[in-house]
Structure formats: C-alpha cells, structure tokens
Amino acid sequence: MIKRPFRLATTSFIYPDHIIPNVKKIGAFFDEIELLVFESQPQEVIPSRDDVKELTCLAKDLDLTYNVHLPVDISLCAPGPRDRRNAADTLKRVIERFSPGPVTSFTLHLEMDNPLPIKDGIAAWQENARQGLELLIPDLENPAKITVETLGYPPDLFTDLVNEFGLSVCADLGHHIKYGYDMARTFELFGPQIRLIHLHGVNTRLEPPKDHIGLDKMAPDEFERTMNHLKRYTGTVCLEVFKLACLQGSLAALSKNFDDIPGI
C-alpha cells in the first residue's frame, strides 16, 4: 500500500441524471470531475452559461476542478473541409463556454475509421487531422489544455501532431488493454505530456472485449500491470465509468493499492 500520487476523478454520469446533480452528489469525494459533453447537437445539450456559473460555484464549495470531454459527434479528421471547419467551430464554442470555470483540460478525439486504413489512408488521415487542428488550435489561449485521447489505433500515429501543435495527451489505459497497445511505450513516447489518464476495467474474456466496467472485473495480471504505471504518475486519473456499481468496484480495487481512496 502506497500513498496515492495522482489526483482522482470520475465522470459526471454516475447517476442517470444531468451534470449538475451528479457533481452535487459525488463532487465531495473527488479532486476532479470529467464533464461529459459527448454531443453537440441540438445546441441545447451543451450546458448553458448559467450552468457553467453554477458548476464554477460548486467547484469552489467542493474544492474541485473539471476536465471536459469534447463532443464526439463531429470530427476534425473528416475527409471534407466543410466538415472539418464545422467541427473546429463547434469545438471552439464548447471550449469558450467552459473556459470561465476551473477546467484543467479538454479531451479531444481524433477519430479514425475502423479497421485501420492502409498506409496511404493513414497519411491522408494525418493530413486531415493536421488541417483540422490548424482551424482550431491558433484561436486557443493554451493549446496544452487539449488532451488527445488514445483510441483504437496506435498512439504513435498522432505523436507528430501532438508535438507540432503543443498539445497534451489523455492516455486511456482501458483502450490500451482493449486494443492490445503497449502502455509502457505510450508513457515513453509522451512522458509529461500525459496530462490525464482514463482508467476503466476491461473484460478481455469477451469478444469483443467489454470496457468501461469496474476495475474489480479485470484479469489480475492486467490490473497489476496497470497499477504499476499509476504508482509513478502524478497527473489526474479519471475513473471513466458510467454506473455507481462500476465506480464503487473501481474504488474498492484501487484501495487495495493506494491510500486515500474514497468510498461511496
């Protein structure tokens, strides 16, 4: 058992309710809450300015910060320039909306078609992503607050983009297990650029593997390997689960390795 070196977070959808009620219920137990803004349409689904004001007040009362998961129904990597422009404009609106609050990072998906495209397709995807980022990043005050999330393709494929635009990384360790990517290599590639970790259980006995479940449901060897990386990590670790039972199981599993893990 060692002292927890990282800040601990979870999502704003532990209870089947809106963001603010979830923050009120769970905020006192965590250092940070991941505000889930998966959709951009209709515009009413994006929290209002008044919502952000209330979230800012709650953050002060509960001694909290937030990270914001940006919408995934748009793509900076879209083949068409109009779609990339729409994605960039939408993301800028969401970032601007939340910027008055105590937000440490904004998590961005650089989506890629699945399965992995051939070599020429990868080069085209990287160029589309570059052009999309060129529409977004110059207008941001602090590009390092954008954390590019590791998804279902090798994280190596966006290394140059992260470095070129001065971005950070969200290392989703559950995705690493689900898709068979090397966690150690990701930590070697990005080091201190990993501003945020998404942590969730994966049942690799199923086909396809089921992710975003409790850490207590993981295979023991995969769980131990993941914990070894967390023992040296000092950023924010977000338990990216969406049910109370999954959160409780994850906290119980973490408490066997680290001090100062809350119980809910």
Side-chain angles (χ1 to χ4, degrees):
M1 188 82 69
I2 66 170
K3 183 179 179 181
R4 168 167 62 92
F6 49 84
R7 302 179 75 242
L8 187 62
T10 193
T11 73
S12 62
F13 194 78
I14 297 302
Y15 296 92
D17 206 337
H18 296 293
I19 287 175
I20 289 173
N22 269 274
V23 171
K24 288 179 177 178
K25 289 177 181 177
I26 63 175
F29 299 97
F30 293 92
D31 303 307
E32 186 160 300
I33 300 294
E34 177 186 355
L35 304 181
L36 302 176
V37 191
F38 286 150
E39 298 175 330
S40 64
Q41 295 296 328
Q43 290 195 20
E44 291 74 24
V45 301
I46 299 174
S48 67
R49 296 187 189 280
D50 285 342
D51 290 335
V52 173
K53 288 179 182 178
E54 185 169 358
L55 287 166
T56 301
C57 290
L58 284 170
K60 291 178 181 177
D61 292 343
L62 298 170
D63 193 21
L64 268 180
T65 55
Y66 300 112
N67 65 80
V68 176
H69 198 304
L70 294 169
V72 297
D73 59 350
I74 50 175
S75 176
L76 285 178
C77 310
R82 181 178 296 179
D83 289 336
R84 292 195 294 272
R85 167 62 70 181
N86 174 63
D89 289 344
T90 301
L91 292 171
K92 280 187 275 191
R93 285 197 299 272
V94 174
I95 292 168
E96 185 274 334
R97 175 65 51 85
F98 282 97
S99 289
V103 176
T104 61
S105 64
F106 296 90
T107 300
L108 174 68
H109 281 197
L110 292 179
E111 297 284 1
M112 180 186 288
D113 290 338
N114 204 7
L116 217 61
I118 59 174
K119 184 177 180 180
D120 289 346
I122 291 175
W125 171 83
Q126 289 172 323
E127 182 55 30
N128 288 338
R130 178 173 284 104
Q131 291 183 21
L133 289 166
E134 286 172 347
L135 295 170
L136 172 67
I137 300 304
D139 291 333
L140 302 184
E141 183 176 342
N142 184 2
K145 276 193 171 185
I146 302 295
T147 58
V148 180
E149 182 175 348
T150 58
L151 300 173
Y153 55 85
D156 308 55
L157 297 182
F158 62 60
T159 306
D160 289 346
L161 295 169
V162 166
N163 292 332
E164 179 179 343
F165 290 95
L167 310 178
S168 299
V169 172
C170 169
D172 190 310
L173 301 189
H175 289 165
H176 278 69
I177 294 171
K178 181 177 182 178
Y179 298 108
Y181 296 124
D182 186 347
M183 292 182 198
R185 175 164 175 74
T186 295
F187 281 95
E188 289 171 4
L189 273 175
F190 299 110
Q193 291 171 302
I194 300 175
R195 193 166 184 150
L196 177 65
I197 284 176
H198 282 174
L199 185 63
H200 47 95
V202 184
N203 185 345
T204 54
R205 295 179 292 275
L206 299 178
E207 185 54 47
K210 180 175 176 56
D211 56 359
H212 297 284
I213 61 175
L215 296 176
D216 55 319
K217 305 299 183 186
M218 290 176 69
D221 60 329
E222 291 167 345
F223 178 75
E224 182 179 359
R225 178 159 46 94
T226 305
M227 292 302 103
N228 286 337
H229 288 293
L230 297 188
K231 290 173 182 176
R232 302 183 295 275
Y233 182 69
T234 58
T236 298
V237 174
C238 180
L239 296 171
E240 199 178 44
V241 294
F242 313 109
K243 293 180 180 179
L244 180 59
C246 293
L247 178 59
Q248 290 172 329
S250 297
L251 292 170
L254 280 181
S255 68
K256 296 176 182 178
N257 290 266
F258 299 100
D259 289 327
D260 192 26
I261 300 297
I264 295 181

